[in-house]
Amino acid sequence: MTISEIIAYLETIAPPSLQESYDNAGLITGNASWECKGVLICLDSTAEVIREAMDTGCNLIVAHHPIVFGGLKKINGKNYVEKAVILAIKNDIAIYAIHTNLDNVIAGVNGKMSDLLSLKNRSVLSPKAGILQKLIVYVPVDHKEQLKNALFAAGAGNIGKYSECSFESDGRGTFKGGDGSSPFVGETGTRHIETEVRLEVIFPSYAARSVLAAMKKAHPYEEVAYDLVNLANEYQDTGSGLVGELEEPLSETAFLGLLKEKFGLQVVRHSPLSGKQVNKVAVCGGAGSFLISNALGVGADVFVTADMKYHEFFDADGRLVICDIGHFESEQFTVDLLYGILREKFISFAVLKTKVKTNPVNYFV
């Protein structure tokens, strides 16, 4: 088993193209061609975690946060980032980060938070735009079902809770095969008119390679006529934050108690309570202040996130309760999420969860 095989699988779950522009997800240190001896999963690949990987015989660390976020101009061990990078390189430890791309999928970080709160009827709080593409392809009538089935199997045709979505219209296509051609219908050197179907499907751009490969394999023509169009539409299945509903409404104080229980919290920072029942809950692991307006817009009763600044609590404006549970605390179960993903796929492979608590924030209670 090579490191590249493990990375390839993780990237089917959280495609790299979904990471934010400021992010640095991906292979930080090491070589993807190395044989993998074991995987250690963590939030932060600190020097202590790297030493843990060495002690447990793991040469691949899968971390949520990239240890290298900005550019490094010098690597001389003057801070915790440089110390970790030096230690990893000297001991042939590969570090792979799966960060905002894992935040931006429904079953990712926010999905895990929603699981802990048993939220139902979930949807993305701020869907990403510019992710979708439309394929328009022309195919002989007798082969349209074969082609549609291949495209659907490759990941095309999903819109929200619906699958196998397509549009088709009939028309006539013309072509004349040149020297060396072998037309499926008609004869070389003669213009041919064929009754065809214009078939349209949409898919996320990261699925384009597999969709186009499936199209070419299933299409009877040796030269396939098709258009690939970038769409500005929002993609409902990817984006920042999630919103859902509790199984049963709770009072605000009961909900705060639920947060403390499920996330193992010592304290919850929150905006003023309004006395309303809590039913609709928005969540965003890590720093989520940029989603306050989205949480208000969907009518959330509470917004659970982290890293809120003093003045940002005013933005609740009495219309919802903002709950800051801490950055580490909101994302801590991402380790369990990644462990489950890898253990399900690589049954006989050593996958471990870190025993190092990397939270740099402590509370005196």
Side-chain angles (χ1 to χ4, degrees):
M1 181 72 64
T2 63
I3 288 173
S4 63
E5 292 175 83
I6 296 166
I7 290 174
Y9 178 67
L10 287 172
E11 292 182 351
T12 66
I13 306 296
S17 60
L18 294 183
Q19 72 173 302
E20 300 297 334
S21 58
Y22 59 80
D23 200 8
N24 191 38
L27 191 61
I28 307 293
T29 65
N31 192 312
S33 66
W34 289 348
E35 178 185 354
C36 187
K37 300 173 183 177
V39 181
L40 182 65
I41 302 169
C42 65
L43 274 186
D44 306 282
S45 49
T46 61
E48 190 176 359
V49 171
I50 294 167
R51 283 189 286 270
E52 182 186 21
M54 294 161 55
D55 292 341
T56 55
C58 297
N59 68 337
L60 171 61
I61 294 174
V62 174
H64 182 47
H65 297 135
I67 187 65
V68 178
F69 208 78
L72 291 178
K73 293 185 178 180
K74 296 182 177 67
I75 305 178
N76 52 34
K78 69 180 180 182
N79 55 44
Y80 82 98
V81 173
E82 294 176 8
K83 289 174 183 175
V85 170
I86 291 170
L87 187 61
I89 292 173
K90 287 179 67 175
N91 292 279
D92 289 341
I93 303 294
I95 300 174
Y96 178 80
I98 181 167
H99 191 211
T100 53
N101 47 328
L102 190 61
D103 291 332
N104 283 332
V105 293
I106 283 183
V109 175
N110 299 309
K112 191 66 177 178
M113 292 179 69
S114 299
D115 289 344
L116 290 166
L117 297 172
S118 300
L119 299 185
K120 59 184 182 180
N121 301 324
R122 302 174 192 178
S123 60
V124 175
L125 191 55
S126 178
K128 290 181 74 68
I131 296 293
L132 291 172
Q133 292 183 312
K134 177 189 284 188
L135 172 66
I136 304 167
V137 58
Y138 304 87
V139 61
V141 175
D142 292 342
H143 288 77
K144 70 175 183 179
E145 291 302 322
Q146 171 185 313
L147 182 59
K148 273 198 291 190
N149 290 337
L151 295 174
F152 295 154
N158 297 310
I159 302 177
K161 296 179 181 179
Y162 294 84
S163 61
E164 299 189 9
C165 303
S166 69
F167 179 81
E168 59 186 67
S169 56
D170 296 333
R172 297 196 305 167
T174 67
F175 50 85
K176 181 170 71 173
D179 293 341
S181 65
S182 180
F184 177 72
V185 289
E187 297 181 2
T188 301
T190 301
R191 181 193 298 164
H192 178 77
I193 300 176
E194 180 70 19
T195 300
E196 295 177 331
V197 171
R198 172 186 167 119
L199 181 62
E200 303 180 23
V201 292
I202 64 170
F203 50 87
S205 57
Y206 53 77
R209 180 175 295 181
S210 61
V211 169
L212 293 178
M215 175 196 73
K216 292 175 182 178
K217 184 176 181 180
H219 203 290
Y221 291 173
E222 62 178 348
E223 296 292 347
V224 183
Y226 69 93
D227 300 320
L228 194 58
V229 181
N230 294 325
L231 302 178
N233 306 49
E234 291 181 340
Y235 184 32
Q236 298 166 328
D237 288 344
T238 65
S240 303
L242 282 181
V243 60
E245 298 170 354
L246 293 173
E247 291 182 334
E248 296 291 340
L250 295 174
S251 69
E252 291 169 332
T253 53
F255 180 78
L256 292 176
L258 180 68
L259 279 181
K260 291 187 70 174
E261 175 193 347
K262 296 297 183 180
F263 289 86
L265 308 176
Q266 298 180 51
V267 63
V268 179
R269 298 171 66 226
H270 62 83
S271 60
L273 303 182
S274 65
K276 298 186 300 182
Q277 290 282 94
V278 176
N279 180 43
K280 184 175 284 190
V281 178
V283 301
C284 177
S289 61
F290 67 102
L291 290 174
I292 293 174
S293 61
N294 299 83
L296 287 167
V298 297
D301 300 307
V302 296
F303 178 33
V304 182
T305 187
D307 297 350
M308 299 295 297
K309 297 179 181 178
Y310 172 83
H311 289 95
E312 291 167 341
F313 282 98
F314 285 109
D315 294 334
D317 197 27
R319 295 162 58 193
L320 86 165
V321 178
I322 296 174
C323 300
D324 183 338
I325 65 174
H327 197 121
F328 175 89
E329 289 81 0
S330 70
E331 296 180 334
Q332 60 184 306
F333 297 103
T334 303
V335 172
D336 295 326
L337 171 67
L338 290 168
Y339 178 81
I341 288 170
L342 290 176
R343 285 296 298 160
E344 182 178 9
K345 176 66 174 178
F346 305 105
I347 301 172
S348 59
F349 197 74
V351 179
L352 306 176
K353 293 186 284 187
T354 183
K355 295 180 180 179
V356 177
K357 186 177 180 181
T358 57
N359 189 4
V361 180
N362 293 274
Y363 302 94
F364 180 75
V365 181

